[in-house]
Amino acid sequence: MAVNNHIRGIAGNEVPRKMVMSIFDAARSTVDELLSAYQTRLAGLSFHEARQRLEHYGPNEPSRPRRHTAIFQFLVKFLNPLVIVLIIIAVASLFFGEKVNALIVILMALLSVILAFIQEYRAGREAEQLSEMIRATATVYRQGRIRDIKIREIVPGDIIYLAAGDMVPADIRLLSCKDLFVNEASLTGESFPIEKSAEPVHPRSAALSELTNCVFMGSSVVTGTATGLAVQTGLATRFGELSRRLVTGRGETRFDRGVKEFTWLMVRAMSVMVVVIFAINVLGRHRMVDAFLFSLSVAVGLTPEMLPMIVTINLSRGAIAMARKKVIVKRLSSIQTLGAMDILCMDKTGTLTLDKVVLERYCDVTGQEDTSVLLLAYINSFYQTGLKNLLDQAILKHSRLPVRKYRKIDELPFDFSRKLMSVVVEQDGEHLLVTKGAPEEVFKRCTHYELDSEIEPMEPLLIADLQAEYRALSSQGFRVLAVAYRKLQKIKMSYSREDERDLILKGYLAFLDPPKKTARRAIELLRELGVNCKVLTGDNELVTRKICRDVGLDGQEPVLGDRLDELTDEELRSIVETKAVFTRLTPFQKERIIQVLRQNGHTVGFLGDGINDAPALHRSDVGISVDNAVDIAKESADIILLEKSLLVLEHGVTEGRKIFGNIIKYIKMGSSSNFGNMFSMTGASLFLPFLPMTPVQILLNNFLYDVSQVAIPTDAVDEEYLRKPRPWNVQAIRRFMVTIGPISSIFDFLTFGILLFVFHADPSLFHTGWFLESLCTQTLVIHVIRTSRIPFLESRPSRPLLVTSFLIVATGLVLPFTFMAKPLGFVPPPGAYFAMLCGILMAYLLLVHGVKTWFVRRYGLD
């Protein structure tokens, strides 16, 4: 054992080497062995010893993600592929004297970057302000006196004093304690406080629940007092081990990868077509500079430069909408991921449940509700002195009962050996002893039981039946206490434990950390939206099964953590698809389940609030936490709920799908229009003796078209699109692009033919005619592509989208008749041209609608 490796004193400038013993070795050791191994004493370390150990071991702090400066966060936004393409095009435009074009492109890039930075930076600051887990100081013994010191200054070997309400500041082996109950829910998922003692233990497994004489950083003292020795601090604690795994970046979300895939798809296609168009124009016209400027303009026209802005505006609107519902979005792209989520894993304690103990049932020995049982329990809890534990508080909060008519005579406090407590009260000159505690301990002291006001002896044959009732309650997930009483014949003013005998068993109290009122409805709504819910908890299977049954989840055959360790990843990949509840999990088992679900192709969200949830929050596609969660959970989360209601999850999923739907509208429209323009530009360059459109006209066309799309984030999304998760599907976008894109080229070539052979157009009229046809078709087609229904009749666009699109069309049609016509190279078209334009527009939009309807029937809405 490590305790045998005694170390020399600090006086010789020696400090204990790191990790003198593991927490398990400390649990087995006696007090003297601990003090010797850590070269300390009950009076505490001296200031000199503590200072040396602090230098040796480092501060008592967990790892935290590196905080980048605001400037760094801003500059990182420029690494978006589309922003890089825009900057390259702007620089090239500036090099060749196209200052206006360069300015417009740079402004687009800057606007997109600034919007994304402001939203995410503001959300990050709000999340930091929610940090509220560990108080700044702890109480320790230094040089024989109790002192408050900063938690970060605690070192191995410090003697620490704990009292009710304290957060545990390190991993501590208890040296002495009295009535100590500790809440370890954030570490283990156990909803009820855990009893602690100071006696050495010999754990049979690596579970924290086996270490009943140790308390851990991140847990909190509910009742009682204790003195303990800091065994491990900082990164060596269980809390520190978790934090160390979380300092790495979250990496790209599926949404980020989807945007990047689409971006590179368009960049590759654009690069090929620009090179082809440049080569055709150089070979056909032998004017390299003009051909290069034309190709550069085509590149701007083919680049979906508004994508970063559209994405950011959509996500920012979503973040604002969710903020109104008391939800903080730390990472903008997580909103879309929330909409794409098809599995939501969640912790139980504090997430599905209220994270508080409630008295659910008070019943007689046969399980029937009995208010007299509640009255006796109320008397017991009301008249006990000292700090009342959570079970006492639950009894007293349940209802107010008239107990003032009883006068307290004495009490027998709770202790760990008896596991019960009693009070003695007087009424009408008669003394009544009321006891409540662990059923097995109360049973030992009972000789009779009461049922329907009849008192019967506890015959050996009946005891098994009486025990079956409280065991049935326990098997349903309740924490059970027994209530018994005795009318004292010999009246005296003080009583002892010997008086806790010949009791009459009255009944049982059943406690539970109940589910939130909104949990069942939230799970039903998520299920309707195609999101399956799974519970991953460190709590036991009995409690979890009860909670799952109450909220509508199948928890009959939960998978236990012990079994999980025996499974290969392949076996686990199969099990996670069929099972909905996993219990007695360690933090890293939760993380493993999340990872396996993602490997199975799911978009996985995780909802949790404890230290033990941090790895799973970090590993999931979208991590969700709550405002009263521990720091490490909030830091690992992408989204923080400021209200207890889980119904906000359904709003978040719907909002994410609306956002993604509007982004996809722009992508489908932009990609198909640009793909069609590639064909049109290539074809026109092959047979025309002049440029099909001048560079300035291409840039103006592109600018006006982009302005018309700014209102897309305000548009509504069809209900059928919101009914199921919509992950990124670049293959579907490519299929839509090559299906719809060539349709615009057909009408472009039709326009070319009419201009050349009907109107005998010169270059200026040709440029004007194609500019107007191109602008009108690609601006108005959004009203067809935005919905799978019949446009305007079955699905109406938002008013801003309607106004901007028709305003841009009107602006384009008026331009050839204004003072700007000559500088832009336009001439007024003949009246017959506009009749032809109306016919082409109607035919184009009808054909696109027909092909779109066929496409949706064959390939779906994706």
Side-chain angles (χ1 to χ4, degrees), residues 497-556:
R497 296 177 185 179
E498 283 70 31
D499 292 301
E500 292 176 327
R501 59 181 173 81
D502 301 329
L503 302 180
I504 300 170
L505 179 65
K506 182 66 175 176
Y508 307 109
L509 305 170
F511 301 86
L512 187 70
D513 177 11
K516 294 176 179 175
K517 292 181 179 180
T518 57
R520 187 180 188 93
R521 180 58 180 158
I523 288 172
E524 290 173 354
L525 291 172
L526 289 172
R527 192 178 290 129
E528 291 172 6
L529 291 171
V531 180
N532 293 319
C533 294
K534 297 181 184 291
V535 174
L536 313 183
T537 179
D539 208 349
N540 70 70
E541 59 275 18
L542 298 178
V543 175
T544 305
R545 188 183 294 131
K546 159 70 175 171
I547 296 298
C548 289
R549 184 167 59 248
D550 289 348
V551 299
L553 290 174
D554 180 13
Q556 289 306 307

Side-chain angles (χ1 to χ4, degrees), residues 42-63:
L42 291 176
L45 300 171
S46 69
F47 290 117
H48 176 69
E49 290 170 340
R51 187 164 52 252
Q52 283 193 317
R53 295 189 187 197
L54 185 62
E55 293 174 358
H56 186 65
Y57 291 105
N60 180 35
E61 294 177 329
S63 291

Side-chain angles (χ1 to χ4, degrees), residues 394-581:
I395 293 169
L396 297 175
K397 286 180 181 177
H398 189 274
S399 58
R400 291 185 177 274
L401 297 178
V403 295
R404 294 289 184 184
K405 61 183 179 181
Y406 297 92
R407 183 172 67 89
K408 180 180 176 182
I409 302 298
D410 200 4
E411 74 173 288
L412 307 174
F414 177 91
D415 63 51
F416 284 98
S417 60
R418 289 161 47 243
K419 295 186 177 179
L420 49 82
M421 73 86 54
S422 302
V423 298
V424 180
V425 295
E426 178 193 30
Q427 184 187 27
D428 300 330
E430 187 176 60
H431 285 195
L432 179 71
L433 182 144
V434 181
T435 300
K436 78 172 188 303
E440 58 274 14
E441 295 297 327
V442 173
F443 263 71
K444 293 177 183 178
R445 294 163 173 80
C446 290
T447 57
H448 293 74
Y449 69 91
E450 180 181 332
L451 180 63
D452 297 330
S453 301
E454 297 290 333
I455 297 175
E456 303 289 345
M458 287 181 64
E459 302 289 348
L461 292 176
L462 293 174
I463 290 178
D465 292 334
L466 293 171
Q467 290 175 332
E469 184 57 41
Y470 85 75
R471 286 172 179 163
L473 289 170
S474 297
S475 68
Q476 295 175 39
F478 291 107
R479 174 78 172 269
V480 182
L481 295 182
V483 178
Y485 71 96
R486 176 188 171 196
K487 293 181 179 179
L488 300 165
Q489 301 300 322
K490 184 178 179 181
I491 296 177
K492 51 186 178 180
M493 296 314 295
S494 66
Y495 293 84
S496 66
R497 296 177 185 179
E498 283 70 31
D499 292 301
E500 292 176 327
R501 59 181 173 81
D502 301 329
L503 302 180
I504 300 170
L505 179 65
K506 182 66 175 176
Y508 307 109
L509 305 170
F511 301 86
L512 187 70
D513 177 11
K516 294 176 179 175
K517 292 181 179 180
T518 57
R520 187 180 188 93
R521 180 58 180 158
I523 288 172
E524 290 173 354
L525 291 172
L526 289 172
R527 192 178 290 129
E528 291 172 6
L529 291 171
V531 180
N532 293 319
C533 294
K534 297 181 184 291
V535 174
L536 313 183
T537 179
D539 208 349
N540 70 70
E541 59 275 18
L542 298 178
V543 175
T544 305
R545 188 183 294 131
K546 159 70 175 171
I547 296 298
C548 289
R549 184 167 59 248
D550 289 348
V551 299
L553 290 174
D554 180 13
Q556 289 306 307
E557 296 182 8
V559 179
L560 274 63
D562 290 343
R563 184 189 171 196
L564 213 65
D565 288 335
E566 300 170 359
L567 299 175
T568 65
D569 281 352
E570 284 302 315
E571 291 170 332
L572 185 57
R573 289 182 70 168
S574 174
I575 286 177
V576 295
E577 296 295 331
T578 57
K579 297 295 184 181
V581 180

Side-chain angles (χ1 to χ4, degrees), residues 343-357:
I343 289 182
L344 174 63
C345 298
M346 59 185 78
D347 180 40
K348 177 186 68 66
T349 306
T351 302
L352 276 178
T353 66
L354 294 174
D355 197 17
K356 67 178 182 180
V357 178

